[in-house]
Amino acid sequence: MGILGSYMSIEENLFEQAIRGEGEAIGVEKFQQLDIDKSWEMIHFLLCRCKENGEPPMGYVVPMRDENELDFGEDTDGRVFYITAQQVREADEFVQSLSDDALREMYDFKEMQKNGVYPLYGKEDASEIYDYIYFFLTKIREFYHQAAEKGHAISLTIC
């Protein structure tokens, strides 16, 4: 099956209350969600040239940054990251500014393989992997734009 990534967008104050264990339980139906399959680390690497802790604002797109990680102790099987509404706006501006040509120029399949980017194992076709990344990055662009317009925060769960 593999390690999958899933975003959720929600009003920042509701999300902060849930993190602190305050207020009413928030049902999943209140969240706008986006599943990005196994593309999360490849997209982060494409944008940041590293597997984790990419510099803002590109590091907010797949926010695998130490300062953005939530610690739920042993209550979760994966990792959960959170970015504020302001960080969502910054990430949105960044991804909206990327042209298709710029993305194609940023793509370095051999460097991804060399760095052991998940889920590459050495037998993949570079063109197919780019199409896979591009498909999900297009979805992320839309997701971030909608969240930014609503003033929402975003979480990313990887498990």
Side-chain angles (χ1 to χ4, degrees):
M1 184 167 148
I3 304 169
L4 308 176
S6 180
Y7 289 98
M8 288 190 288
S9 165
I10 192 167
E11 293 175 42
E12 189 168 34
N13 63 331
L14 293 177
F15 197 72
E16 289 173 353
Q17 288 174 6
I19 291 168
R20 292 189 307 263
E22 301 171 357
E24 296 179 29
I26 302 172
V28 173
E29 67 279 356
K30 293 228 178 203
F31 293 94
Q32 181 181 357
Q33 299 181 45
L34 174 66
D35 292 321
I36 59 167
D37 197 49
K38 298 175 188 175
S39 69
W40 50 274
E41 193 168 78
M42 290 185 289
I43 292 171
H44 187 82
F45 193 89
L46 171 76
L47 300 177
C48 302
R49 308 302 292 166
C50 59
K51 291 169 49 170
E52 286 191 34
N53 290 308
E55 292 296 317
M58 55 282 233
Y60 293 149
V61 178
V62 181
M64 298 183 318
R65 300 169 40 80
D66 291 341
E67 61 259 26
N68 295 101
E69 189 164 7
L70 297 174
D71 183 5
F72 290 115
E74 309 228 353
D75 292 345
T76 182
D77 291 333
R79 296 173 72 187
V80 180
F81 301 88
Y82 167 83
I83 57 173
T84 66
Q86 176 59 38
Q87 292 168 333
V88 170
R89 284 189 294 277
E90 291 173 32
D92 178 50
E93 288 175 16
F94 172 72
V95 294
Q96 299 307 325
S97 74
L98 294 173
S99 69
D100 290 349
D101 289 339
L103 286 171
R104 180 62 78 177
E105 287 180 31
M106 293 166 70
Y107 180 61
D108 188 340
F109 180 70
K110 290 182 181 186
E111 195 65 23
M112 286 183 171
Q113 286 180 313
K114 178 181 169 185
N115 283 277
V117 173
Y118 178 79
L120 301 178
Y121 298 105
K123 297 182 181 180
E124 299 83 10
D125 176 84
S127 179
E128 288 178 13
I129 293 297
Y130 179 79
D131 291 344
Y132 176 77
I133 293 169
Y134 183 80
F135 172 81
F136 284 107
L137 190 51
T138 300
K139 300 268 185 208
I140 291 169
R141 264 188 190 151
E142 294 170 23
F143 185 78
Y144 268 74
H145 193 65
Q146 290 173 6
E149 285 182 333
K150 294 175 184 174
H152 282 189
I154 287 178
S155 71
L156 171 67
T157 302
I158 298 170
C159 61

